Amino acid sequence: MMAADQIPTALVDRLRSARRVAVLTGAGVSAESGIPTFRDALDGLWSRFDPRELATPDAFIRHPARVQAWYRHRDRLVDACAPNPAHETLTDFYARFETFSLITQNVDGLHRRAGSEAAVRLHGSLNDWRCFACARPAPPPDVRSETDVPGRCPICRGLLRPGVVWFGEPLPPDELDRAMEAAATADVFLSVGTSGEVYPAAGLPEMARQQHAFVAEINPQATPLSAGMDAVIRLPAGRALPAIARALDS
Ligand code: BJW
Ligand code: ZN
């Protein structure tokens, strides 16, 4: 059975009686703000690079100016974008449910800009540059191309890196603990706009399901997580989440 706008009735019913709700978001939640998803090629100059190959410590060590310029390019792109109805609806969920946890893999800061300051940021932030050598915070380097001189720490001359988590690096332990606690205690867990390919984040829906949460996915495309879901909504997040809020109000 579907409520209006393809929202499964079972999900609406479970949300109505839920005390603890947790949502995991990925790049798809910012797609309608104009930010390309991680697996979509970036436009122009950057389309010849695979993001998966830039987001590693090895890529940074081999091509520091290229990686710094790529992250500065994304900083500027994000600055020119604004939160969309998906981010806004999730902010409203804090007031709607007794306990609400928002867990994001996104580094774009749009959940915070929409008012979800408490969002758990599993993969860090595009801002918060620091020194790769001494870890001191530093202002973002003004590097625009791979042929520029790489930005360095004013104190120790180490290379500057963005405050994100690259492949092979540990997630911030406090954030990961909060995310696992939210997943393990949720009555309803929603996975929104993520390909479900990157761990440990991709393990959270299964962790919730094993602890008897109702798990649902919002994504226009199927993912490796889809088969384990109690409900799937094949709609863009900016349409599905407001529709869920309307169904709960009706
Ligand atoms: C829409 C939409 C719309 C479009 N509405 N939807 C097995 C188990 C555990 C770990 C591993 C494992 N095998 C390998 C690993 C290691 C690795 C990993 O998972 N690799 C996989 C590729 C297999 N994981 C790690 O390395 C992690 N660290 C770790 O495990 O540490 C262990 C350790 C412990 C102690 C010491 C040392 C190490 C770290 C992972 C860090 C990921 N970092 C990145 C880059 C961040 C910086 C940056 O942005 O540049 O995070 S990778 C990238 O993927 C980014 C994203 O947050 C993450 C997830 O991507 P996401 O959000 O799902 O985006 P997309 O693009 O993939 O998907 C978008 C989706 O949206 C699509 O499905 C669309 O259909 C959908 N969509 N429009 C709704 N409008
Ligand atoms: Zn330094």
Side-chain angles (χ1 to χ4, degrees):
M1 281 283 288
M2 294 281 178
D5 212 353
Q6 300 174 40
I7 306 304
T9 311
L11 172 61
V12 176
D13 290 347
R14 290 297 293 257
L15 283 170
R16 282 215 170 99
S17 59
R19 294 180 54 221
R20 303 178 72 91
V21 174
V23 174
L24 171 69
T25 66
V29 90
S30 295
E32 291 152 87
S33 292
I35 300 174
T37 63
F38 203 73
R39 278 151 191 80
D40 284 342
L42 284 177
D43 52 358
L45 178 65
W46 294 104
S47 59
R48 65 198 168 91
F49 294 108
D50 181 340
R52 281 165 291 191
E53 284 166 21
L54 289 174
T56 70
D58 277 0
F60 176 65
I61 289 160
R62 276 187 279 116
H63 304 288
R66 177 189 294 173
V67 173
Q68 287 176 347
W70 182 57
Y71 280 98
R72 293 295 286 132
H73 167 79
R74 289 174 55 198
D75 268 347
R76 289 191 293 276
L77 180 73
V78 166
D79 279 350
C81 295
N84 68 55
H87 300 104
E88 286 155 8
T89 303
L90 289 171
T91 298
D92 293 343
F93 278 9
Y94 283 99
R96 191 179 276 279
F97 300 107
E98 193 176 311
T99 302
F100 176 63
S101 303
L102 177 56
I103 305 156
T104 189
Q105 299 167 83
N106 298 345
V107 297
D108 57 30
L110 288 188
H111 284 304
R112 290 198 175 200
R113 280 168 59 191
S116 294
E117 286 88 5
V120 174
R121 298 190 294 184
L122 287 179
H123 294 163
S125 159
L126 269 182
N127 298 312
D128 306 336
W129 286 72
R130 67 176 189 271
C131 175
F132 193 59
C134 75
R136 285 188 184 88
D142 184 19
V143 174
R144 286 178 183 248
S145 130
E146 58 184 318
T147 57
D148 285 357
V149 177
R152 289 189 174 273
C153 173
I155 311 290
C156 80
R157 307 302 300 155
L159 291 163
L160 295 182
R161 61 162 295 167
V164 302
V165 180
W166 284 325
F167 283 116
E169 294 186 318
L171 275 61
D174 290 353
E175 308 280 305
L176 184 56
D177 282 352
R178 285 170 65 200
M180 291 197 301
E181 165 79 12
T185 57
D187 300 314
V188 176
F189 188 99
L190 300 180
S191 173
V192 184
T194 177
S195 59
E197 290 181 17
V198 176
Y199 284 81
L204 294 171
E206 176 60 16
M207 181 182 287
R209 200 184 64 83
Q210 282 179 3
Q211 300 298 322
H212 312 294
F214 185 94
V215 290
E217 174 178 72
I218 297 174
N219 195 317
Q221 308 290 328
T223 75
L225 306 179
S226 304
M229 295 286 161
D230 295 307
V232 291
I233 301 174
R234 296 274 169 251
L235 289 173
R239 202 170 131 202
L241 286 164
I244 289 173
R246 282 195 302 277
L248 289 170
D249 287 338
S250 68

